[in-house]
Amino acid sequence: MPGFRAFHAHKGYARDDEGWNWRELVWAHRNKTTRLEAAFWCDDALVGLVVGRQSPGRTRVSIHRLAASPVVAHPAKRLVTPLEIALGTYTARAYGAGELRILEPLPAVVGIYAENGLTPVAIGGTVRYCFTRL
């Protein structure tokens, strides 16, 4: 299975710096027919991962977790997040969904999502998700 190559490259199934266990995330979504899983590669370097799914009502696609490579210098630096957002947007359009959401964004990247056209939504002072209508 090609996706497992990405997991091996991503710290050998370990949790990443944010505490996300990618194997557990993909395993939790494995039976969802409308899941979204992607690994972005530049040559032999893993530069990004995405896990998400379509909502039960088919009104939106939510990206549950996304990550860019922590490697300081790689050829796709600054391109991974826009590519991940584009993938989510195209997937949402293909499903006929009217909205893309990135759930539980890290505070450090909310501004990057805003620069890429997503609107942050805060509840109780914490940004719970960023979204764009399609």
Side-chain angles (χ1 to χ4, degrees):
M1 186 181 261
F4 284 108
R5 179 176 167 226
F7 296 123
H8 285 293
H10 191 268
K11 299 183 182 182
Y13 296 118
R15 293 182 185 279
D16 68 13
D17 294 337
E18 311 309 331
W20 299 335
N21 184 314
W22 288 94
R23 189 168 99 182
E24 288 176 9
L25 287 166
V26 171
W27 187 256
H29 287 82
R30 75 191 180 287
N31 292 325
K32 294 177 175 64
T33 57
T34 57
R35 71 184 176 272
L36 168 63
E37 302 171 11
F40 292 86
W41 295 87
C42 188
D43 296 324
D44 287 332
L46 176 65
V47 296
L49 291 169
V50 175
V51 175
R53 69 179 180 89
Q54 180 183 0
S55 66
R58 305 187 129 212
T59 58
R60 68 182 160 270
V61 166
S62 296
I63 295 176
H64 292 244
R65 297 287 183 264
L66 59 81
S69 172
V71 174
V72 175
H74 64 75
K77 200 71 170 175
R78 296 265 191 235
L79 297 175
V80 176
T81 298
L83 287 171
E84 291 169 331
I85 292 169
L87 173 68
T89 299
Y90 292 128
T91 301
R93 287 184 177 146
Y95 285 140
E99 183 176 286
L100 170 66
R101 288 186 181 185
I102 298 178
L103 305 180
E104 301 174 8
L106 297 171
V109 295
V110 170
I112 295 170
Y113 298 150
E115 290 171 9
N116 284 276
L118 283 84
T119 302
V121 175
I123 300 171
T126 301
V127 175
R128 301 295 182 182
Y129 62 92
C130 295
F131 80 101
T132 186
R133 297 207 193 284
L134 307 174

